[in-house]
Amino acid sequence: MLNLERLRTLDALARHGSVSGAADGLHVTTSAVSQQLSKLEREVGQQLLAKNGRGVRLTDAGQLLAEHAARILSQVEMAQADIEAQRGRVVGEVRIAAFPTAARGLFPAALRALRVDHPELRARTSELEPERGIREVLRGDADLAIVLDWNNKRMPVPGGLARAHLLDDSADVAMPLNHPLADRSEVDLVDFADDEWVSWPEGEFCYEWLMFTLRSQGIEPRIAHLAGEHHTQLALIAAGLGVCVTPRLGRGPVPEGVVLVPVRQRVRRHIYAVWRMDADRRPSIRAAVEALREAGRAAD
């Protein structure tokens, strides 16, 4: 009889690609992962891992069993969801990841509502950029992730995930108080062709969106500063060091010396939640999505 926890360990190794990655994903030690995999090899009577430089790789038998393990764990997830659905009670734990401004703008109201309406449900949250949040959901390390599209650039979402729209979030251009366009009621992004920009870090989806959007309007962006937090971006703007696009959700107080001007052709982020389809019937996920939708309606 194959042990479910050992199959879960093998699945984690296949998904993370290393013993240390599997240990991090399962929140156990590398020694515990190695022990579980050694026991699984003895159970099946075949070698599942082979040395690969300083790490390990799956053998053909290991890859075959890992594919079965993924399907078995998906069936277990669906069975748990069906049991929860039949019971109809919102209990247990739900793990939610969100990018920082969504966490700041949605989590306080949504988590407070969940605590009041479903006191037997425990919510655990983390801040993750959208791409990583999606990976965490696919790996089973998060139940829900809050992610985004921009109105002119979609984020790829793999198959096997369900999604629910939470809100549309408008964005403005932030500029120093003494900027020549600071007294405008509206601006176009082409108005800032000669400005230096403060942007999200390279490699993030929002950085790629900014570069794509400006270049599509004939602007070769002059990126002067990179900062992941909007508060840091606005502090740089207040110091007169450039301009930036700043969404409204979770923005908080605007520093003195910063002016926000709407974009004439609205710049919007479409914010939504994603979760695994095989967990779709879990009352805890449905309750969390509804709480996030209510928080989104209040923030819109």
Side-chain angles (χ1 to χ4, degrees), residues 31-51:
S31 175
V33 169
S34 297
Q35 289 175 16
Q36 289 283 59
L37 293 173
S38 294
K39 290 177 181 178
L40 185 59
E41 284 186 324
R42 290 197 295 271
E43 282 180 353
V44 299
Q46 292 198 59
Q47 183 179 358
L48 302 177
L49 303 176
K51 288 185 180 292

Side-chain angles (χ1 to χ4, degrees), residues 22-130:
D24 289 341
L26 295 170
H27 307 291
V28 298
T29 65
T30 55
S31 175
V33 169
S34 297
Q35 289 175 16
Q36 289 283 59
L37 293 173
S38 294
K39 290 177 181 178
L40 185 59
E41 284 186 324
R42 290 197 295 271
E43 282 180 353
V44 299
Q46 292 198 59
Q47 183 179 358
L48 302 177
L49 303 176
K51 288 185 180 292
N52 185 32
R54 295 185 179 180
V56 296
R57 62 173 177 83
L58 292 173
T59 63
D60 289 345
Q63 185 62 48
L64 178 63
L65 186 57
E67 292 170 1
H68 282 290
R71 289 193 291 270
I72 290 167
L73 293 170
S74 178
Q75 288 293 323
V76 169
E77 179 77 31
M78 286 189 286
Q80 291 173 333
D82 286 345
I83 291 296
E84 278 192 37
Q86 186 180 56
R87 184 172 54 206
R89 292 172 57 207
V90 181
V91 299
E93 180 178 88
V94 62
R95 301 160 299 172
I96 312 172
F99 56 94
T101 53
R104 190 160 56 244
L106 299 178
F107 276 171
L111 297 177
R112 183 173 58 246
L114 284 175
R115 177 170 290 186
V116 171
D117 296 339
H118 308 289
E120 295 182 86
L121 178 66
R122 183 174 62 259
R124 286 174 48 200
T125 63
S126 58
E127 283 191 1
L128 296 175
E129 289 302 320

Side-chain angles (χ1 to χ4, degrees), residues 228-289:
E229 277 289 335
H230 286 167
H231 291 315
T232 305
Q233 293 177 2
L234 292 177
L236 294 169
I237 303 305
L241 298 174
V243 300
C244 73
V245 172
T246 179
R248 296 175 185 176
L249 178 67
R251 185 157 62 196
V254 177
E256 290 186 16
V258 174
V259 175
L260 302 174
V261 182
V263 181
R264 185 171 291 108
Q265 293 181 337
R266 289 186 64 196
V267 175
R268 295 185 306 279
R269 302 188 300 178
H270 307 302
I271 298 173
Y272 52 96
V274 298
W275 63 96
R276 286 168 54 137
M277 285 183 179
D278 55 19
D280 192 52
R281 296 185 62 196
R282 286 179 55 190
S284 56
I285 287 181
R286 292 176 176 268
V289 170

Side-chain angles (χ1 to χ4, degrees), residues 8 10-18 25-26 58 73 135-136 138-141 276:
R8 197 182 303 279
L10 179 66
D11 176 67
L13 178 71
R15 289 186 284 105
H16 292 276
S18 68
L26 295 170
L58 292 173
L73 293 170
R135 291 197 298 270
E136 293 280 303
L138 287 170
R139 289 199 299 253
D141 297 329
R276 286 168 54 137

